[in-house]
Amino acid sequence: MTRTMTQAQNSHKSGKEAGRAIRSGRIGFWQKFRLLQRVVTNYAYDARRFRRHAYLYEARRREQLCARVLADAHFLEYGMALRNARPGFGVQRAVRLARDLCQLHDMDAQDGRGAEKSKSMMAIGRSVLSSYLEFNAQTQQGDLDEVRARAHLLQQHVTTENPAGTRTVTREAIQSASEIDFAGFAAARHSVRQFIPGAEPVEEIRRAVSIARTAPSSCNRQTCRVHAFTQPELMERVRKHQAGNRTFGHELSGLLVIASDLHNWETVGERYQPWIDGGLFAMTLLYGLHAQGLGTCMLNWSVEKTQDKLLRAELGLGDEHLVIAMIGIGWLPDRFSVCASHRLECDDILQLNQIDKSPPH
Ligand SMILES: Cc1cc2nc3c(=O)[nH]c(=O)nc-3n(C[C@H](O)[C@H](O)[C@H](O)COP(=O)(O)O)c2cc1C
């Protein structure tokens, strides 16, 4: 009898398999109680982090101000892009945006290192203000004078690189850019768990992250950050915290950790938004990597607080960084097996809601 077979038989007896243990038999009262305790403790962990970092009361920290700048800039862009855009709308938002930008500007003047972090937000916020003031060139409202004065003080942050405000697009341009075999592209993506050795895919990751920037996000807040690892010794340190790569992780050429910054949220209702935005971002990133010819496998971060803290300590990620998921990346062999992963039928998923207009019989 080989050693592997003995191990397999032993694990079968104990109900354990490679990966996740399976439960068998009835659960007793105390087991249920302890499970419930873990549910409550882990919810409390999430809630405490959300309360601590979101700006539920006021935005004081640089990160919170940056987040509010992006959200308020989006509010103004949104209003200007509407079919019946109304001059004078959102003045209070514009005032808050202008004040936040000035506060960031002052913070940056005191701390040059931090300034680098708010550079993009300053540029976006300031450009949206320009666009908003242009839109309101004929509007007479006292509060707009404050916005104009503050915008003037922030002149140095105007950038022509990032168009902000609104822009006109055409159906023709959208449709011609969409003339691709997207169904074929999507169907050719598989979770890959066999790889060949290859170069560190740094440029490919960079291009994929650039594509992932196009993912939609709540109020354009763009809360996700990608922590990328391509060197074997670093990848090893990260991947040992994640169980789902155990059988193939050593073949990876890259490992990405996607995290969302909890400083970005303003209301209690947004408490699950980081996971939603994170999921959309992760999927766009996955397609971005797929477009570079790389094989990918999503790696779950379905863990409890102790494990989460261990990973964050390993990566040096503060309490405000909510880890969403990881992505394993590698070079594709010429020929290999993947799971068929048969999908449900469209009618299993889609419920088309329509008023029944057939004549009564
Ligand atoms: C959030 C998420 C976490 C996942 N975690 C793992 C994982 O830890 N290990 C793994 O091998 N596959 C993981 N997968 C891959 C799924 O098993 C796979 O997407 C699914 O079976 C469908 O197969 P396909 O991706 O080949 O279409 C994960 C997928 C998602 C969306």
Side-chain angles (χ1 to χ4, degrees), residues 138-319:
Q138 308 302 324
T139 316
Q140 299 297 325
Q141 249 188 53
D143 288 335
L144 274 176
D145 292 339
E146 179 182 345
V147 180
R148 287 188 185 106
R150 288 186 184 272
H152 186 70
L153 289 175
L154 297 162
Q155 198 67 27
Q156 72 191 80
H157 299 285
V158 174
T159 166
T160 47
E161 282 163 34
N162 287 319
T166 60
R167 60 184 170 144
T168 305
V169 293
T170 63
R171 182 176 61 230
E172 194 197 348
I174 293 173
Q175 290 181 343
S176 83
S178 310
E179 280 168 11
I180 53 166
D181 177 17
F182 184 72
F185 175 80
R189 185 209 56 81
H190 307 282
S191 286
V192 178
R193 301 179 181 94
Q194 296 176 42
F195 302 97
I196 54 170
E200 289 178 31
V202 176
E203 277 315 306
E204 288 81 358
I205 292 173
R206 199 175 274 285
R207 284 196 288 269
V209 169
S210 216
I211 292 169
R213 289 159 61 231
T214 65
S217 65
S218 162
C219 292
N220 196 28
R221 282 183 174 100
Q222 308 171 66
T223 70
C224 289
R225 301 291 177 267
V226 180
H227 303 269
F229 304 89
T230 54
Q231 292 166 320
E233 55 274 40
L234 288 183
M235 280 197 288
E236 185 59 31
R237 276 170 50 185
V238 179
R239 75 176 195 86
K240 70 174 187 224
H241 293 276
Q242 204 276 342
N245 75 91
R246 221 178 273 154
T247 50
F248 60 90
H250 56 284
E251 295 182 13
L252 295 173
S253 289
L255 187 56
L256 307 182
V257 179
I258 301 167
S260 169
D261 188 339
L262 289 171
H263 280 123
N264 286 277
W265 307 105
E266 184 169 16
T267 67
V268 179
E270 290 169 340
R271 67 199 180 282
Y272 295 119
Q273 207 62 48
W275 281 291
I276 295 164
D277 284 15
L280 290 168
F281 180 86
M283 190 65 230
T284 314
L285 181 55
L286 206 68
Y287 277 144
L289 292 160
H290 180 44
Q292 311 301 313
L294 285 159
T296 57
C297 188
M298 284 300 302
L299 301 170
N300 75 78
W301 193 238
S302 316
V303 299
E304 296 186 30
K305 65 173 196 171
T306 312
Q307 212 173 327
D308 185 64
K309 284 181 176 177
L310 284 174
L311 175 74
R312 287 194 292 103
E314 187 84 71
L315 301 181
L317 286 182
D319 190 59

